[in-house]
Amino acid sequence: MVRRLVAGLAAIVLVAEAAVLVLVHIVLGRTTANQSMSIAGSDPDVMSKATYAMGAGMGAFLLLCAALAVLAALRDRSPGRFGRIVLIGAAVTHAVLGMLAVGLVGWAAFAALMLILCLLVLILTLYPAVARQGDGGGPVEDAPPPPPFGELKPTSP
């Protein structure tokens, strides 16, 4: 029950974050284009289009993470290998942005990013990774533990 709740809440928060980031990049792109801003002689049109593209890319990535969280909540199963890699990437990104946000934006932005990081980490830890038939490794079989290092074994019966 808690796993589904966390995954659903994470999906909602990630969709909201995607919408806010896309909106911020649209405003920044329009501001750059309207004021003909340039950094070190860069073309303002290229800068505004790059801002739009970055916003669209970040929004799409966060929507993909939200879709993976929704799938985990609906199936009540761990995301597959690809899904776990994407969610780990999102968690690392939020951790790095959180560290930068403390100095650049303030503690409120840091708290928001850490909340999202916690939700992503909870999805990854509450749903344990399970080996499946299609994961390339085949089913997990119980194997006897290796002998301790330095243990003496008889050489003859």
Side-chain angles (χ1 to χ4, degrees):
M1 177 68 183
V2 173
R3 296 187 302 190
R4 286 185 174 196
L5 180 66
V6 167
L9 183 61
I12 292 169
V13 170
L14 286 169
V15 168
E17 182 186 13
V20 168
L21 283 177
V22 167
L23 180 65
V24 166
H25 280 82
I26 288 172
V27 169
L28 288 174
R30 285 190 181 162
T31 304
T32 303
N34 289 340
Q35 294 189 0
S36 296
M37 295 174 150
S38 126
I39 297 175
S42 301
D43 186 17
D45 291 333
V46 172
M47 288 179 59
S48 66
K49 289 178 183 173
T51 303
Y52 293 142
M54 186 66 167
M58 289 171 60
F61 178 70
L62 290 172
L63 288 178
L64 173 65
C65 292
L68 291 170
V70 166
L71 283 175
L74 291 176
R75 294 179 181 170
D76 200 24
R77 282 188 12 208
S78 170
R81 181 178 293 166
F82 173 75
R84 291 182 75 79
I85 290 170
V86 170
L87 291 176
I88 289 170
V92 169
T93 302
H94 279 86
V96 171
L97 288 177
M99 289 186 293
L100 293 173
V102 172
L104 298 175
V105 182
W107 288 102
F110 172 77
L113 287 167
M114 291 303 107
L115 170 74
I116 299 169
L117 171 67
C118 289
L119 290 172
L120 290 170
V121 170
L122 276 174
I123 291 174
L124 292 167
T125 56
L126 289 177
Y127 290 106
V130 178
R132 295 187 184 102
Q133 285 290 349
D135 283 350
V140 177
E141 297 178 13
D142 292 332
F149 182 74
E151 181 178 309
L152 298 175
K153 296 181 184 178
T155 55
S156 61

